[in-house]
Amino acid sequence: MKKLSFTNIFSFCLMVIGLFAVQTVNAQAPAGEAQIEVEYTGGSFNGENSWLLWDATAGAEVLCDDAASVPGVYTANVTQGNTIELYAWETFGDNWNGATIEVRYNEDGSVN
């Protein structure tokens, strides 16, 4: 029978605890604001796609990706109650070629 050292057992226990201790942390928006996230998932020709998130109430750009539409999650805070509009386009005229866009509005750190 092989001897187990205290260090090996302790290391193993820490690894197991670490696997179960992973949590997702959401930032909170200040009072009167809400967090908005735009997730862009790339397609075949990302350079043809662009999008803009516009605060129509304030008349201001919230988020945009008009250069090469890099896949990822983009986050900003907006005033609660304002009208937010998403504009999306592509330059070649053959659709987004598998790319998708999702908008999430979070008032309290959880997805609504």
Side-chain angles (χ1 to χ4, degrees), residues 42 71 82:
N82 282 11

Side-chain angles (χ1 to χ4, degrees), residues 21-93:
V22 176
Q23 297 180 17
T24 302
V25 178
N26 292 320
Q28 295 291 335
E33 293 187 1
Q35 184 182 65
I36 197 160
E37 294 178 346
V38 176
E39 182 172 0
Y40 173 76
T41 305
S44 301
F45 299 98
N46 291 329
E48 297 176 1
N49 303 334
S50 299
W51 57 267
L52 166 73
L53 201 63
W54 180 258
D55 185 332
T57 306
E61 177 183 299
V62 177
L63 292 169
C64 82
D65 190 8
D66 60 358
S69 284
V70 178
V73 177
Y74 301 82
T75 306
N77 289 339
V78 296
T79 303
Q80 288 181 349
N82 282 11
T83 300
I84 307 299
E85 300 171 344
L86 173 68
Y87 296 94
W89 60 95
E90 70 87 44
T91 58
F92 196 73

